[in-house]
Amino acid sequence: MKKVKLKKKGKLERKLILSMTLIFLFILISTVVTIVWDNFEECVADIKNGLPTDAAFLSMYVPSLAEDQGQDTSYMTIEELRKMNSAQGEQIDSWLENGTDEKYYDYCDNLKSLMGQLKITDIFIYKAERDENGELLNDMVIVLDLPVSTETSFQLGQHFGATKAFKTVKKVYETGEATIYDESAAYNDSGFIILAFAPIYYSDGSVCAVLGTEVSMSIILEQVISGNIFVLMNTAINFWLFGIIILIFIRKIIVKPVGILSNHMREFVSDEGTLTFTPVTEIHTKDEIEQIADDYNALAERIVNYTKNLAVKTSEEERLRVDLDVASQIRSVVSTEPTYPAFPERSDLDLCESLKHTVYNKCSFCNYFFTDNNRLFMVIGESLGNNLASMIFSILAISHIKSFAKMGFDPYKIAVETNNQLCSTEKTDRGLTVAAIIADVDLKTGAMRYVNAGMPPMLIKRPGENFGLDKADLSFSLGQMRGVTFEQKTLQLYQGSTVLMTSFGVSEMVDEKGQKYGFDRLIEVVNRTSGNAFDLNETVREIDKALDDFRGEAPITIDTAVLGFRYFG
């Protein structure tokens, strides 16, 4: 047997890889942001708790007029510095009046050395102006400004003017205590910053000026990232390894089996002259994909046997009989076995189907199953070719539809993916397409989502109303053109709502005079019957009887398929 080669990466695999990559990137970024943000908030809280103390400590380093210049002050406590520096305010007033001196520059150098140790980005000293009544004005006079990374643009005695932190500055003047800037956030040219102020006293204990300390966002982020670099790297590596494992797992259990099955089907359909059949033996997933492969093997074997037997058939009547027999076997694969009630254990729905007429050049199908306990999936369709390949094509269509439905895809997504898969199949007959209505119903809410891909419009009956035609626009059939998008509609069902889906064989049925049955007759029959019949089965069987009566002795030229659904909620 000829060995089927699987392409290295099909479109389904590429889409899965892209989707999983985007999902893992989103989760990874969210996790990293959460880790950084949590630690950022903790770091900000620590800085806010400690910054007033640092500001108070630094304020004690302002030299006093009475300071002993020969004494080392670098290791003194705040209390010791305060006792020694009893005239700091007087020293500041001296600088403002007489200008800078050697002590001023030594003080600036000392503060510069402490800024790096305390992770502070700026230190400045303001002295607030007062009015004639001694009240503080929001007009700050600069004593010094020491940004860590740039040169200051402020000079001794220069007016800074009004400041947004005046409320906090005034509080420091009034209480004599170091205080954090009481707004939730502050901004300057460095971006987000945290500020704290501490008092500088006169020898009599009154407040002369305030010393401000600033910590910028860059310092905070640097501390957070440096403190969590191992956690962040470990998180990224774990996500990467987990994503690789998941992608390998999905490729093994879904992508590879589907690709193998698709290649076998493509080979079988494209070789129409000899119908070479290579059984699928490589799939052992023990799930629906393996079941589809087994169904394909059984169907392909029947078709090959039929083709071999057909060569020895000379009678046209015998050939037609065998064709009908093959069509019946195909129907058993692509359609759910007609039973009523379809789900006797369920009291929230009524469902009935009919596949009464079938001929060689058509292949109608119906299928329905639960994708979960409260979501019912339904599909009705027919191939639109005019040879045996149309039967095989319908097998490909329903196999893809069922597979994508059980993967949890929405109806429009099922239609898009099935259409692309069918368009990738090599076919000599460009008219070989499949029309289908793909729908699912949420039995909890009554919301029905559906796509009509080239089928006749549905008949819809709401409680207290008669049947009417669905006004949704028709779209392309499946397998007609790659890249087609399909519009998904939503229909809200209420208790007692009924939906009838039909193939072209119902409205296009012709009688002995060549007249078409049409939708008017169909609507008249279902409205008359539904008013007298409770079971949906009676309505569907009445449609079959009405079609037989209308056709009379005219030959069957087109399939009829009916799928009815009633929602009880």
Side-chain angles (χ1 to χ4, degrees), residues 287-355:
D287 55 18
E288 288 83 357
I289 296 178
E290 183 176 355
Q291 184 60 51
I292 292 173
D294 292 340
D295 291 344
Y296 163 75
N297 287 340
L299 174 67
E301 184 176 3
R302 291 175 186 174
I303 293 176
V304 170
N305 291 336
Y306 160 75
T307 305
K308 292 178 180 178
N309 294 333
L310 188 63
V312 298
K313 303 296 183 181
T314 57
S315 169
E316 183 64 24
E317 292 182 358
E318 182 65 10
R319 186 187 69 81
L320 180 59
R321 187 192 66 78
V322 175
D323 287 343
L324 292 174
D325 181 60
V326 172
S328 177
Q329 295 180 35
I330 291 176
R331 188 180 302 281
S332 69
V333 175
V334 300
S335 299
T336 307
E337 184 67 20
T339 57
Y340 187 83
F343 303 103
E345 73 281 5
R346 305 287 300 221
S347 61
D348 51 355
L349 64 93
D350 190 12
L351 192 147
C352 182
E353 69 166 302
S354 170
L355 292 167

Side-chain angles (χ1 to χ4, degrees), residues 69 72 77 118 170 191 321 407 459 486 488 501:
Q69 298 299 314
D72 185 6
T77 65
L118 298 176
K170 185 177 180 181
R321 187 192 66 78
M407 290 171 66
L459 273 66
F486 296 86
Q488 178 173 295
M501 309 175 204

Side-chain angles (χ1 to χ4, degrees), residues 124-267:
F124 49 88
I125 296 178
Y126 290 154
K127 181 178 181 181
E129 293 285 83
R130 297 178 182 269
D131 60 15
E132 61 273 10
N133 298 319
E135 294 293 328
L136 291 177
L137 298 174
N138 190 5
D139 183 13
M140 303 292 111
V141 178
I142 294 292
V143 177
L144 61 80
D145 181 35
L146 298 174
V148 72
S149 59
T150 59
E151 292 295 329
T152 181
S153 59
F154 296 104
Q155 303 298 324
L156 175 67
Q158 179 180 345
H159 281 256
F160 179 80
T163 173
K164 295 179 180 178
F166 179 68
K167 181 180 178 181
T168 305
V169 172
K170 185 177 180 181
K171 182 178 179 182
V172 174
Y173 266 95
E174 292 172 349
T175 64
E177 296 179 355
T179 306
I180 197 77
Y181 178 47
D182 55 7
E183 298 295 330
S184 59
Y187 297 89
N188 63 12
D189 294 339
S190 301
F192 175 79
I193 58 173
I194 299 175
L195 293 170
F197 297 92
I200 298 174
Y201 299 95
Y202 285 113
S203 57
D204 62 0
S206 62
V207 178
C208 168
V210 294
L211 180 142
T213 54
E214 173 187 310
V215 178
S216 72
M217 170 71 81
S218 60
I219 295 296
I220 300 173
L221 286 178
E222 180 183 341
Q223 293 182 31
V224 171
I225 294 174
S226 62
N228 294 275
I229 188 67
F230 177 77
V231 175
L232 297 176
M233 290 181 62
N234 186 60
T235 300
I237 292 173
N238 287 338
F239 268 100
W240 180 74
L241 291 176
F242 182 67
I244 294 296
I245 293 172
I246 290 295
L247 288 174
I248 293 173
F249 180 72
I250 290 177
R251 188 177 189 276
K252 181 178 180 180
I253 67 172
I254 297 178
V255 176
K256 187 175 180 180
V258 170
I260 291 172
L261 183 58
S262 178
N263 283 341
H264 276 274
M265 289 182 172
R266 186 180 297 111
E267 178 190 14

Side-chain angles (χ1 to χ4, degrees), residues 403-418:
S403 177
F404 290 128
K406 291 180 179 180
M407 290 171 66
F409 286 8
D410 292 344
Y412 85 93
K413 184 68 172 177
I414 295 173
V416 170
E417 295 297 335
T418 301

